Amino acid sequence: MKRVAMIGSGLIGRSWAIVFARAGWAVSLYDPVDGVADGAIPLIEAELAALARVGLVDDAKAAAARLSATKTLEQAVNGVDFVQENGPEDVNAKISIYAELDRLASRETILASSTSAIVASRFTETLAGRDRCLVAHPVNPPHLVPVVELCGSPWTSQDVIARARTVYESINQIPITVRREVDGFILNRLQGALLAEAFRLVGEGYVSPQDLDHTIKDGLGLRWSFMGPFETIELNAPGGIPDYCARYTGFYKRLQATPATPEAFGDGSVAEIVKQWGHAATPERISKRMQWRDGRLAALAAHKKTQPSS
Ligand SMILES: NC(=O)c1ccc[n+]([C@@H]2O[C@H](COP(=O)([O-])OP(=O)(O)OC[C@H]3O[C@@H](n4cnc5c(N)ncnc54)[C@H](O)[C@@H]3O)[C@@H](O)[C@H]2O)c1
């Protein structure tokens, strides 16, 4: 049986544990905060049972039996084929975690980081095994959203990227390759561009935040749940992408001449959005909405599982 270590057993570590365990891997969980790795196991078990009810796990009990909590980093990485690191989003934390991982994990083991925004060259440069380190950035929660962005540093070996891709494919995730390091990788650059325009449009009074959300969830987002922007524009003109570009990019070029500036996220826009949003972000409300979101994502994942991929 293949074995993976989860280094950091918070939100993302628990979700990755589900992904690997349901695909047949043994998962050793580690967290330096006492009780977190042990406490993660019942939470993961409950989520596996919920996923089984919508057909997203074949055997929840068998998957749960493949989980174990470990007391030390050394125990966690002992004999594993793969490491998924999910520690704090802080470069100094990543530097010290990776120094330990590189010292303790067997030389062939790939060390993948879930970091959202820290490129691997910032925390692996001085390591003896820096060629086996890469970023594998998931979307929250990876057990319901399959894309994972793989991004090596200039010294990550191509063989490591290829092996990591094979691992993620084998556990039913969808890896994409970021060919060279870039701030925000791909997903958050796209999200950032959309959010900047959304903040600007609401902040400058063109639309309410609720109507802006409708534009995505009842408009663009319906197509985006099964096709990307290039697939979308190919079908929006009879002659495909070149025809679409000939017809419409003049308009987009005009828009890009005055892009949103950092001011889009300034205090004035934020205050305007919060005022119009109308809900206070209590912990109870956020937790209830997260559960609602995960239920909807699970239903969508179950639906997509029954459909041909293209
Ligand atoms: N939350 C998201 O939406 C999201 C999405 C994609 C990627 N990520 C990335 O995943 C990583 C983890 O994020 P999270 O949301 O699970 O955070 P989290 O706070 O829920 O979990 C982080 C865990 O790391 C543990 N930890 C602290 N010091 C550690 C150390 N030295 N070694 C190992 N573990 C340590 C903490 O005790 C905690 O349990 C971050 O790098 C984050 O950027 C998060």
Side-chain angles (χ1 to χ4, degrees):
M1 192 191 309
K2 293 275 191 193
R3 299 187 52 211
V4 63
M6 279 312 132
I7 305 305
S9 304
L11 192 66
I12 294 296
R14 292 197 301 272
S15 181
W16 271 127
I18 292 171
V19 172
F20 280 94
R22 77 178 165 192
W25 287 55
V27 182
S28 55
L29 292 140
Y30 168 74
D31 200 287
V33 175
D34 221 22
V36 169
D38 284 312
I41 290 186
L43 296 174
I44 298 169
E45 279 173 355
E47 187 60 22
L48 282 166
L51 292 173
R53 289 195 284 278
V54 289
L56 293 176
V57 175
D58 293 335
D59 187 341
K61 282 212 166 78
R66 289 189 279 271
L67 304 167
S68 60
T70 53
K71 291 281 174 227
T72 64
L73 190 75
E74 186 164 13
Q75 273 171 14
V77 300
N78 183 26
V80 297
D81 303 279
F82 201 84
V83 169
Q84 186 79 42
E85 174 273 320
N86 321 282
E89 186 70 354
D90 170 84
V91 71
N92 290 321
K94 302 283 187 212
I95 288 170
S96 70
I97 295 170
Y98 267 74
E100 285 297 279
L101 287 175
D102 194 43
R103 191 171 66 80
L104 294 169
S106 122
R107 188 62 193 88
E108 286 66 48
T109 305
I110 292 176
L111 309 179
S113 174
S114 295
T115 174
S116 304
I118 310 174
V119 289
S121 57
R122 294 187 61 206
F123 55 91
T124 63
E125 185 169 8
T126 59
L127 303 178
R130 64 185 193 166
D131 59 309
R132 41 98 164 243
C133 301
L134 78 159
V135 167
H137 170 232
V139 183
N140 180 37
H143 68 275
L144 294 173
V145 185
V147 85
V148 50
E149 299 187 274
L150 307 187
C151 184
S153 66
W155 42 81
T156 305
S157 108
Q158 286 308 309
D159 175 57
V160 163
I161 307 264
R163 280 167 54 211
R165 175 173 268 276
T166 306
V167 166
Y168 290 111
E169 282 168 352
S170 76
I171 59 173
N172 303 311
Q173 298 302 99
I174 313 256
I176 68 127
T177 305
V178 184
R179 290 183 178 153
R180 61 179 186 279
E181 290 186 336
V182 59
D183 208 14
F185 306 116
I186 305 301
L187 187 140
N188 279 326
R189 293 182 76 89
L190 294 173
Q191 178 159 247
L194 184 70
L195 279 176
E197 193 59 31
F199 271 67
R200 167 157 80 167
L201 289 170
V202 177
E204 293 182 6
Y206 290 100
V207 68
S208 70
Q210 290 78 8
D211 278 358
L212 189 130
D213 272 3
H214 277 302
T215 314
I216 300 298
K217 68 184 174 183
D218 300 312
L220 290 171
L222 289 178
R223 289 190 301 228
W224 286 348
S225 70
F226 62 95
M227 66 204 295
F230 291 118
E231 289 172 308
T232 300
I233 65 170
E234 181 176 40
L235 304 188
N236 280 359
I241 292 175
D243 189 15
Y244 182 93
C245 291
R247 289 170 190 241
Y248 302 117
T249 52
F251 164 67
Y252 292 125
K253 282 179 192 161
R254 267 201 326 276
L255 283 189
Q256 285 310 110
T258 51
T261 62
E263 200 36 52
F265 296 107
D267 293 348
S269 291
V270 175
E272 192 51 38
I273 290 163
V274 170
K275 187 174 98 194
Q276 292 187 45
W277 193 238
H279 309 286
T282 61
E284 294 73 30
R285 179 183 148 80
I286 298 290
S287 155
K288 224 166 122 189
R289 293 290 290 171
M290 281 181 177
Q291 279 172 25
W292 167 80
R293 176 201 63 197
D294 288 355
R296 295 296 299 263
L297 280 173
L300 184 59
H303 165 71
K304 288 185 77 158
K305 211 175 154 184
T306 65
Q307 303 299 306
S309 62
S310 59

